Amino acid sequence: MLANVEKRTLLTVITEAVIEQSLLRDLEKQGVRAYTVSDARGRGSRGIRDAAWDEVANIRIEIICQRAQAELLLSHIQDQYYTDYAMVAFMVEIEILRGEKF
Amino acid sequence: MIDVVVLFFLFGLLAGLARSELKLPAALYESLSLILLLAIGLKGGEGLAKQALSPLLPQLGAVIVLGVLQTLIAFAILIKLGRLGRSDAAATAAHYGSVSVATFAVGANWLMTRGIDFEPQLAIFLTVMEVPALIVGIMLARGVSKDTDWRALAHESFLGKGVTLLLGGMAIGWIAGPEGLTPIKGLFYDLFKGALALFLLEMGLIVSRQIGELRKRGAFIISFGLFMPLFSGLLGLGCASLLDLSVGGMTLLATLAASASYIAVPATMRLAVPEANPALSLSAVLGITFPFNIMAGIPLYHYFAVQLAGAL
C-alpha cells in the first residue's frame, strides 16, 4: 500500500482540433499550468470525427487538479464552448503521487 | 481529354463513395500540401526575380477589391435568395471570396500541360486573395465590434500555414533565382505533378464524405455551389483583362476567383464565427465547387479567356 497517495480530479475535454490553440490559451488564463493533449478520433452527435483531415480532427485535453478548480474549469468551458463546438468534458476522481505537483 | 491528375481525384471520389478501406496517412496529406505550397511559392518567386516589383502594387489592390466584391455578392445572394441566417451566410460568403490552393495548382498544371504561360505574380495573387474575404466575412457576421480579437485573427490569417509557406517559398525563389533553384528542382518542379496527383486522390476521398451532407442540404446550396464559381470566374476574367494579363494569366485569375477556400477559411471562421454551421459551407465548397472547377471550370475559363483576348 502506497503511503503518500492523494486524491485529485482528472478533467478530460474532448473537442475539435481547430480550437486547440485558443482553448489552451483560455485554460492557461484560468490558471491551468499543466495539461496533456493527444489526438483523438470518434463519433458523436456531430457525426464521424475521424481525423482524416484537420476540420474533422479531435483532441483530448487532460488536466489533473483539485476538485474545486476542475469544477470552475468545467463550468467555464460549458459557458464558452458547449453551444457552438463539438465538445464532451467530464471529471473523474483519481489517486496520484507527488501531490505538490497538482 | 481529362487531365491525368483529375483522374486521381475521380479515383479517390469513387473509392470513397464505394466505402473502400482506402485511406491516406494524415502525415502524407500534410507533406504533399507542404510540397505543393512551396513549389507554387518558389515558381512565383523565381519569376518575380526577373521583373520590377513596383508595377505589381496596383494589381494587388485590384485583386483585393475582387476578393471583397465576391464576398459581398455571395453574402447578398445567400441572405436574399438562400434565406440563410446572417452567420451562416457570412461564413459561407467568406469561403467563396477566398481562394483554394488545390484548385490553383490544378489550374496551373492544366496550363503547363498545354504549354500556356502565365505571369509569375499569380502566386502572389493567390497569397493576397486568401485574406480579404476572411476579414469581410467576420465583419458581415459580427459588425465591427470591440469583442473581435483582431490581433489573434490577423495572426491566424497572415501566419497560417498556407500563407507562411507561400511567402517563404516566394522569398527563397526570389533570392535564389533560377540557377540557385537548380539543385532542388527535382523535388519541387519535377515531382509537382506526382505530388498533385496523390494530393487529389486524398481530395477525392474527402469530397466523397460530403455527398451525404449535400443530400440533406437541398437544391439551393447545390445551385449556389455551381453558380457562384461561374459568376466569380467571369468577375476574375474582367479583372484580369483590366490588368492586361496574358490568356494563361486570365485563365488562372478566373480560376482563383472561382475557387473557394476549404482550409484557411473554415479554420478561422470556426474560431471567429463559431455559431455558423461549418458543415453547410464545406458541403457546398467541397461537394460542388471544387469538383466543378477542376473538371469543367478551368477549361471553361480558358475558353472564355481566349474569346475575351480575341475580342479586345
Side-chain angles (χ1 to χ4, degrees), chain B residues 135-153:
Chain B
I135 296 166
V136 175
I138 294 167
M139 279 164 54
L140 286 172
R142 288 261 166 283
V144 189
S145 79
K146 280 195 184 139
D147 301 343
T148 315
D149 186 350
W150 290 105
R151 254 192 71 191
L153 287 175

Side-chain angles (χ1 to χ4, degrees), chain A residues 16 18 22 52-53 55 84-85, chain B residues 209 263 270-271 274-275 286:
Chain A
E16 301 177 26
V18 267
S22 63
W53 60 311
E55 275 65 35
D84 293 325
Y85 295 103
Chain B
R209 290 188 219 112
I263 294 177
R270 201 76 196 95
L271 292 168
E275 68 276 17
L286 283 171

Side-chain angles (χ1 to χ4, degrees), chain A:
Chain A
M1 187 70 198
L2 286 165
N4 48 353
V5 165
E6 291 182 38
K7 290 226 189 294
R8 286 292 184 278
T9 299
L10 169 66
L11 174 66
T12 305
V13 183
I14 300 166
T15 189
E16 301 177 26
V18 267
I19 63 167
E20 176 174 338
Q21 293 305 323
S22 63
L23 179 60
L24 290 178
R25 241 179 283 132
D26 193 10
L27 290 175
E28 280 163 25
K29 266 190 218 146
Q30 302 298 316
V32 173
R33 279 168 299 133
Y35 49 77
T36 303
V37 183
S38 38
D39 294 323
R41 287 190 298 275
R43 168 169 209 144
S45 61
R46 305 212 182 210
I48 300 173
R49 302 195 50 90
D50 58 3
W53 60 311
D54 287 353
E55 275 65 35
V56 289
N58 276 358
I59 48 165
R60 178 178 50 219
I61 304 174
E62 287 164 309
I63 303 155
I64 298 173
C65 57
Q66 303 278 0
R67 171 88 194 178
Q69 194 190 4
E71 283 177 11
L72 280 177
L73 291 172
L74 194 53
S75 72
H76 175 77
I77 58 178
Q78 184 179 14
D79 287 349
Q80 297 291 315
Y81 300 96
Y82 266 31
T83 33
D84 293 325
Y85 295 103
M87 182 178 279
V88 171
F90 52 87
M91 301 185 291
V92 201
E93 297 304 314
I94 55 166
E95 290 171 278
I96 50 127
L97 294 171
R98 299 179 298 168
E100 72 283 359
K101 266 177 80 99
F102 311 102

